[in-house]
Amino acid sequence: MELRLYNTLTRSKDLLRPLDPLNVRMYVCGPTVYDHAHIGNARPVIVFDVLFRLLRRLYGESHVKYVRNITDVDDKINARAADRSISIRDLTEETYRWFREDTAALNCLPPTVEPRATEHIEEMRILIERLVASGHAYVAEEHVLFNVPSMPDYGRLSRRSLDEMMAGARVDVAPYKRDAMDFVLWKPSAEGVPGWPSPCGIATPGRPGWHIECSAMSWKHLGETFDIHGGGIDLVFPHHENEIAQSRCAFHSGVMAQMWMHNGFLMLEGEKMSKSLGNFVTIRELLDEWPGEVLRLAMLSTHYRQPINWTRQGLGFAAKTLDKWYRVIGDVEAETGEANPFETEIADRLADDLNTPSVIAHLHHLAEVAEHEEASSALRRRFKGAANLLGLLGDTETGWRARQKEAIALDEGVIADLIAQRIAARKAKDFKRADQIREELAAKGIVLMDNKDGTTSWEVSR
Ligand SMILES: [Zn+2]
């Protein structure tokens, strides 16, 4: 099977040819840990989890290395810790724990390595000193800056003109910069701000710029060049452009990663998500209301390169779909591996630049096939195995099934009894009691529907 992925570097769907098929290497930019991750942050986590699963199937589980970093040194972190009057370490630990819980609830596999920036300061210092020694960086007023004009093909990834790049980078004008485009590799830390011994003989302790972190961590865990580098489309410039500049100039290599992949933006109900517009929603808030599996399916319903419009309606569709699919599989075990032709059909579609909308359409078709073939549980096992490749129908603790079981565990007699009590309360005009019963059942996942004939029916909610 050939895996083709859209490569931002070449602007075409390229065939993945791993540098070493026994060690396929992928790096994805991870979270800056200072607050709950929002649903836009979940997009790369889910998209690259699907790719990770596919790579493991194609090359073998032990032959794929997926690195996703944790940025735990950043001015936003310092400011938030000060606001909350807690230590920086407590803030980053707590936020990282939330992130792990959220992504596990979305049924994402943990990456092979999750390196922390603060544990790779030494690698950053080495890279910075190399760049200074080779004339690509310089020291000025206790800062170390990368000199952009020292790299003739800077800007190849984003293909922007220098003017566009200047505007996009919101360039800080600083008197010590040789060129307006030059960016910070290292900066001095004032008292009370985290600082480490500085490179290049700078006396004042300092801290790294953001871009150098990823060059250092990918080098440490994946080597000087590797196969795939991923992240959100907003990272193409300046972050990824600068990562490339640092790594290529430090290692004198033609590429940092062979394949650069970027997921599109996420809009919330048709609008840009922003705290100031008040339409900012965290993964955790959504998980309070929906099983993680619903969020996952909703996210994968749009191709990863397209902008996604995140809506309640989309979540509702995803929930209905899962409801149906779980009904189809019943209690069968999944059949996984190459012997399962359904799984191969799904893998083929994924191998075409992760075409998840096509995969989901095909799963709908396979569900129909499995549903109508009542005599054969083999088909249902195959269908389940195929969905597993996308990280769905896995019977996870946080999945759809767990929620259903919880609701079904309520004795039907108890539900009928409560409904009768509610009807009586309404007749007696005790609406407070009637509402109380409705809410009590809703909390257990039971939705009541009042019929025209005066009876009340119920169903298991999402
Ligand atoms: Zn990065």
Side-chain angles (χ1 to χ4, degrees):
M1 189 178 294
E2 291 193 332
L3 174 55
R4 286 185 188 277
L5 298 167
Y6 184 84
N7 188 355
T8 308
L9 201 56
T10 60
R11 301 290 194 275
S12 61
K13 265 192 218 176
D14 291 349
L15 181 64
L16 180 75
R17 289 194 190 85
L19 296 164
D20 175 4
L22 296 178
N23 183 22
V24 181
R25 288 159 288 163
M26 172 165 78
Y27 186 92
V28 175
C29 295
T32 301
V33 282
Y34 69 101
D35 203 351
H36 282 295
H38 61 70
I39 188 62
N41 301 133
R43 197 172 190 195
V45 175
I46 293 172
V47 164
F48 291 103
D49 178 66
V50 169
L51 180 55
F52 184 39
R53 287 168 188 265
L54 180 64
L55 291 169
R56 281 156 55 105
R57 186 181 188 276
L58 295 179
Y59 296 96
E61 289 189 7
S62 58
H63 299 300
V64 181
K65 192 168 184 186
Y66 171 21
V67 177
R68 186 182 61 213
N69 71 293
I70 298 153
T71 295
D72 59 351
V73 47
D74 185 276
D75 291 349
K76 286 195 284 283
I77 295 173
N78 303 342
R80 183 61 58 91
D83 275 357
R84 290 182 55 191
S85 307
I86 58 173
S87 76
I88 285 167
R89 187 77 188 170
D90 285 350
L91 174 68
T92 57
E93 284 301 311
E94 178 186 59
T95 314
Y96 176 46
R97 186 167 47 76
W98 291 339
F99 182 75
R100 283 185 79 120
E101 290 166 1
D102 290 351
T103 53
L106 297 171
N107 202 25
C108 294
L109 301 170
T112 323
V113 191
E114 288 184 275
R116 289 155 192 254
T118 52
E119 289 168 5
H120 294 77
I121 302 288
E122 187 52 33
E123 286 80 4
M124 296 180 211
R125 268 198 302 259
I126 293 170
L127 281 185
I128 291 171
E129 291 188 342
R130 274 195 195 192
L131 289 169
V132 171
S134 60
H136 289 288
Y138 58 95
V139 178
E141 295 186 16
E142 302 197 306
H143 291 69
V144 185
L145 294 122
F146 186 92
N147 186 223
V148 169
S150 77
M151 185 189 191
D153 61 347
Y154 179 87
R156 235 176 75 191
L157 182 72
S158 54
R159 298 191 184 177
R160 295 181 183 207
S161 71
L162 212 57
D163 285 348
E164 283 171 324
M165 285 195 276
M166 295 265 285
R170 291 186 211 99
V171 171
D172 289 332
V173 181
Y176 49 80
K177 280 188 182 178
R178 286 185 195 163
D179 186 276
M181 285 297 296
D182 293 353
F183 59 88
V184 169
L185 301 174
W186 190 266
K187 56 191 172 186
S189 288
E191 196 106 4
V193 173
W196 290 265
S198 293
C200 311
I202 298 168
T204 311
R207 61 196 191 281
W210 172 36
H211 316 301
I212 195 72
E213 293 177 11
C214 288
S215 285
M217 287 185 270
S218 60
W219 172 41
K220 168 81 181 282
H221 297 284
L222 298 176
E224 295 181 3
T225 57
F226 49 95
D227 300 300
I228 301 169
H229 192 309
I233 189 84
D234 53 321
L235 296 183
V236 173
F237 182 81
H239 183 55
H240 288 168
E241 205 71 86
N242 291 352
E243 279 188 34
I244 291 172
Q246 296 159 164
S247 295
R248 281 187 47 207
C249 292
F251 306 125
H252 309 289
S253 55
V255 289
M256 177 186 185
Q258 303 201 86
M259 195 78 88
W260 287 79
M261 293 176 65
H262 295 97
N263 64 271
F265 287 114
L266 180 140
M267 312 275 284
L268 200 64
E269 304 285 351
E271 283 188 69
K272 189 171 181 276
M273 187 164 57
S274 82
K275 274 192 173 146
S276 54
L277 286 174
N279 62 347
F280 186 89
V281 57
T282 64
I283 301 172
R284 183 141 305 198
E285 285 165 342
L286 287 163
L287 286 172
D288 284 343
E289 213 182 329
W290 306 83
E293 211 171 345
V294 170
L295 308 188
R296 184 177 178 97
L297 178 59
M299 192 68 89
L300 294 174
S301 300
T302 301
H303 188 258
Y304 78 93
R305 284 200 284 127
Q306 299 301 318
I308 185 171
N309 186 19
W310 188 263
T311 61
R312 292 195 71 82
Q313 193 186 36
L315 288 164
F317 286 146
K320 279 208 175 70
T321 297
L322 285 171
D323 199 14
K324 181 178 177 193
W325 290 354
Y326 270 113
R327 256 200 323 268
V328 169
I329 58 172
D331 283 328
V332 300
E333 294 285 320
E335 180 185 336
T336 54
E338 306 216 347
N340 176 355
F342 286 8
E343 193 189 294
T344 306
E345 286 163 34
I346 295 304
D348 272 337
R349 285 168 166 78
L350 285 177
D352 175 20
D353 195 29
L354 303 183
N355 193 345
T356 55
S358 156
V359 165
I360 291 165
H362 196 60
L363 283 171
H364 277 293
H365 165 69
L366 294 176
E368 304 271 308
V369 173
E371 189 178 30
H372 289 123
E373 201 71 33
E374 280 146 14
S376 167
S377 66
L379 288 181
R380 294 199 292 277
R381 285 204 305 274
R382 286 177 179 175
F383 169 65
K384 187 176 182 184
N388 283 177
L389 189 58
L390 212 57
L392 297 171
L393 308 191
D395 286 344
T396 53
E397 283 291 304
T398 50
W400 183 252
R401 176 56 59 81
R403 180 93 162 226
Q404 265 190 334
K405 277 185 181 150
E406 199 179 289
I408 289 162
L410 264 184
D411 187 83
E412 293 195 11
V414 174
I415 298 172
D417 191 39
L418 283 166
I419 288 175
Q421 285 183 36
R422 181 168 166 272
I423 290 171
R426 281 159 66 99
K427 275 195 184 133
K429 304 226 181 294
D430 184 356
F431 296 112
K432 197 175 160 200
R433 174 65 189 145
D435 285 348
Q436 229 173 27
I437 294 170
R438 175 188 282 279
E439 281 158 24
E440 197 179 307
L441 284 167
K444 291 174 173 139
I446 304 293
V447 179
L448 299 182
M449 288 151 301
D450 294 320
N451 304 316
K452 280 187 184 147
D453 63 2
T455 60
T456 296
S457 44
W458 60 274
E459 64 175 28
V460 177
S461 77
R462 297 182 299 267

